[in-house]
Amino acid sequence: MKKKIITFTICCIACTFSAMSQTAGDVLRFSQYYAGGSARSVGMSGAFGALGGDLSSLSTNPAGLGVYRGSEFTFSPALHFTGTDASLDNATFNEKSLRFILNNVGYVYTRNFYNEKGLQSLSFGIAYNRLSDFASDAYVMSPQANSSLLDEFVWNGNTNYGMDMGGPPLSPDELNPFYEGLAYDAYATNLDNLGYYSEYDEYGYGQWMKRSMGTRGGIGEYDLSMGANISNTWFIGASLGIQNVYYKEYYLHEEEPRFQYLDYFNFSDEFELSGWGLNFKAGVIYRPIQILRVGAAIQTPSYLWVKPYHLSAIETMFYTAPSDASGEKYFYYDADSDPSKRFKMTTPWRYNLSAALVVGNFGLVSVDAEYVDYSQCSLRPNADFKDQNDYASSSYKSVFNIKGGAEYRLGPVSFRAGVAYYGNPYESASDVGFSNSKGMMSYSGGLGFRMRSFYMDAAYSYMKYPKHNYFMYYNPADNMDVTSVMQTKSNKVVLTFGFKF
């Protein structure tokens, strides 16, 4: 009977596999921020660099803390809706998901000095802002597939990952313990003197197949900030950012061949990254005349300490027990990585310029421009991730992210709208499976109601991500990847409740 790979071997190989499975795309994902925070900020697409007076600005330009004239507490729950279209074999499948998240919560304390000139006030703030969300779900299905995931398992074992076809197959102990090694242990593939094979080699295809996949997680930032108002003309601020990052991607692959021996099999895979990081921000807002404000801010790279975790599992069920399985018909095997292994990530510097026109109590218009060079993101230590860092420096590029927002006030009620453009970080979008090299657009709107000591805001934002190819497995018979074309649309509704003291 086949035996499980011994624990020591799994642990040793898993550590190596976990380290090598990190990609430049992981640090790029943690380097991209979108309009988040309070409903007022979301409703104006995050264009608050020169405005301030909102706890969302602590994550962009902490000089906005100096604009406060009193103390304030805010709380912003949100609902995040996503819908993903995924296509396979000329059929399209739609899957939706709904998540409740905390988009913003914070408190600012302001001390006024009532000086005629010079220092007017000092403000101290602590806030949490949601900078990015990764949640989505998708699936594809084929009632009569013309290939199988087992084909790749067999090919990996027989070709020794690209060695000459005439060479010997890998031994069972050399198989990837997170992938084809599990299939061999669970009798989904077998080995004879000609190499690895599956029942598909004898009975052909036409089986029912389904792939369910999804992502979870996001980027949240806790900011400890201080801001000052100097002569009601200069506003300066600084902030220490503490980031909490989490990303999970997973899939479940199901096939029902209904062969003479193999009834069905399921293969699942999960990969997680979780950790914490630090950054520092400093900024200034200058008001030369009453209606005009201009701002500038700089943010250091976020230095992230992250922990990866990888878990794969296979489940097989047989009509007739394999000959050396002692009569057993059901098998389950899994493999996971060392949960104590950690490494470091470094995101790029960020530079922000902004301007706003504030027309009394009637309304305002604001624009932010952010420069980010994504080719500078990296994994550490470089000795372990040199290939990934070389890929990032050659495949990613610098971008400008542009945000614009407007607010019109009608007594205690405010109406808001915004639009944002996020530049494409890839030198060649086709190299990473995207359909085009354009950036992404985000649209938002909202309204608010304000009283003397209480206010409530609501906002809605919409973003459509580019189409991209999702790799499922390799089909050696056709020498091509089996992929699904996917596109996700994101919708977020945010409510903010604010209390002034």
Side-chain angles (χ1 to χ4, degrees):
M1 175 180 177
K2 298 181 183 179
K3 301 294 184 182
K4 266 192 172 181
I5 300 174
I6 60 175
T7 303
F8 176 77
T9 304
I10 285 184
C11 290
C12 292
I13 300 178
C15 290
T16 302
F17 183 82
S18 178
M20 293 306 295
S21 65
Q22 315 315 311
T23 68
D26 293 325
V27 65
L28 175 65
R29 183 180 298 109
F30 290 148
S31 301
Q32 295 179 288
Y33 310 150
Y34 303 103
S38 71
R40 188 183 181 204
S41 176
V42 171
M44 294 175 59
S45 292
F48 261 77
L51 288 173
D54 189 284
L55 285 172
S56 301
S57 65
L58 271 61
S59 294
T60 53
N61 185 358
L65 197 61
V67 177
Y68 277 93
R69 298 179 180 272
S71 301
E72 186 173 303
F73 171 79
T74 65
F75 174 72
S76 305
L79 290 175
H80 185 213
F81 304 84
T82 60
T84 301
D85 291 327
S87 62
L88 181 68
D89 296 336
N90 298 317
T92 300
F93 307 87
N94 180 268
E95 185 69 288
K96 295 180 172 61
S97 66
L98 171 63
R99 297 289 182 275
F100 172 83
I101 58 176
L102 180 61
N103 222 51
N104 157 268
V105 62
Y107 173 75
V108 57
Y109 168 77
T110 300
R111 172 69 184 276
N112 293 297
F113 297 103
Y114 305 104
N115 298 321
E116 291 185 7
K117 294 183 179 180
L119 183 63
Q120 301 296 303
S121 65
L122 282 175
S123 295
F124 303 88
I126 178 170
Y128 169 84
N129 290 306
R130 186 84 167 184
L131 303 181
S132 188
D133 294 291
F134 304 137
S136 67
D137 290 297
Y139 79 96
V140 292
M141 185 171 59
S142 176
Q144 292 184 311
N146 56 16
S147 62
S148 169
L149 178 61
L150 297 188
D151 296 339
E152 183 176 22
F153 292 157
V154 168
W155 185 83
N156 285 348
N158 286 336
T159 61
N160 201 3
Y161 292 95
M163 291 182 64
D164 293 338
M165 292 294 291
L170 296 175
S171 69
D173 286 347
E174 293 176 310
L175 297 176
N176 186 337
F178 288 87
Y179 208 49
E180 67 270 4
L182 291 174
Y184 177 78
D185 287 339
Y187 294 92
T189 63
N190 296 280
L191 176 64
D192 61 16
N193 57 352
L194 297 178
Y196 291 92
Y197 66 95
S198 75
E199 286 190 73
Y200 285 108
D201 297 330
E202 180 177 357
Y203 298 107
Y205 304 98
Q207 78 282 8
W208 177 88
M209 179 178 68
K210 182 179 180 181
R211 172 74 69 104
S212 305
M213 49 275 193
T215 57
R216 294 290 183 271
I219 304 172
E221 184 171 85
Y222 302 85
D223 284 291
L224 307 175
S225 308
M226 181 176 69
N229 176 350
I230 303 175
S231 299
N232 292 313
T233 301
W234 290 93
F235 307 89
I236 58 175
S239 178
L240 174 67
I242 305 171
Q243 288 192 347
N244 173 220
V245 297
Y246 176 73
Y247 175 74
K248 175 181 178 179
E249 62 182 25
Y250 57 90
Y251 68 82
L252 172 64
H253 185 95
E254 305 170 81
E255 293 189 32
E256 295 181 357
R258 308 298 188 190
F259 290 143
Q260 179 179 350
Y261 294 98
L262 181 61
D263 181 9
Y264 70 84
F265 77 91
N266 303 326
F267 184 86
S268 61
D269 186 271
E270 298 181 6
F271 176 71
E272 295 182 4
L273 281 176
S274 59
W276 293 82
L278 296 172
N279 63 53
F280 179 79
K281 295 174 281 290
V284 60
I285 296 174
Y286 175 55
R287 185 167 65 179
I289 56 177
Q290 188 67 24
I291 66 170
L292 176 64
R293 297 179 187 178
V294 292
I298 185 172
Q299 177 177 320
T300 70
S302 293
Y303 299 94
L304 303 171
W305 291 264
V306 296
K307 177 177 67 176
Y309 180 69
H310 188 198
L311 172 66
S312 296
I314 192 168
E315 177 187 44
T316 56
M317 184 69 188
F318 291 82
Y319 285 118
T320 303
S323 58
D324 59 345
S326 302
E328 295 183 42
K329 297 181 180 180
Y330 173 81
F331 303 90
Y332 175 86
Y333 290 95
D334 61 28
D336 63 346
S337 61
D338 180 2
S340 65
K341 187 174 182 63
R342 298 176 182 270
F343 64 98
K344 299 177 183 178
M345 290 180 171
T346 303
T347 67
W349 287 82
R350 312 180 83 89
Y351 307 90
N352 184 286
L353 293 175
S354 53
L357 291 175
V358 182
V359 185
N361 293 321
F362 296 101
L364 57 88
V365 177
S366 180
V367 177
D368 282 28
E370 179 185 55
Y371 173 82
V372 188
D373 185 358
Y374 290 111
S375 68
Q376 299 302 308
C377 62
S378 62
L379 296 93
R380 292 289 183 266
N382 190 61
D384 293 341
F385 299 104
K386 185 178 185 304
D387 291 343
Q388 291 90 332
N389 292 335
D390 288 345
Y391 176 86
S393 62
S394 62
S395 300
Y396 301 153
K397 65 180 182 180
S398 59
V399 303
F400 281 98
N401 299 322
I402 310 297
K403 306 171 187 177
E407 179 181 79
Y408 173 71
R409 299 168 185 165
L410 189 62
V413 180
S414 298
F415 301 90
R416 306 180 182 106
V419 61
Y421 169 81
Y422 299 97
N424 164 45
Y426 302 102
E427 286 285 359
S428 176
S430 60
D431 291 343
V432 291
F434 285 97
S435 60
N436 59 64
S437 59
K438 297 179 181 179
M440 293 187 297
M441 300 294 297
S442 172
Y443 306 92
S444 61
L447 53 87
F449 176 77
R450 293 182 178 259
M451 301 177 65
R452 182 180 298 272
S453 59
F454 170 78
Y455 63 88
M456 183 174 67
D457 299 316
Y460 166 78
S461 68
Y462 169 82
M463 180 183 292
K464 182 167 69 173
Y465 293 88
K467 291 182 179 180
H468 68 280
N469 294 325
Y470 170 83
F471 171 79
M472 294 176 58
Y473 57 87
Y474 173 64
N475 179 6
D478 296 332
N479 191 27
M480 63 183 297
D481 295 334
V482 177
T483 60
S484 169
V485 179
M486 298 175 58
Q487 184 171 48
T488 297
K489 300 175 183 178
S490 172
N491 304 267
K492 183 183 288 188
V493 176
V494 185
L495 292 176
T496 294
F497 304 93
F499 304 88
K500 297 184 177 183
F501 307 97

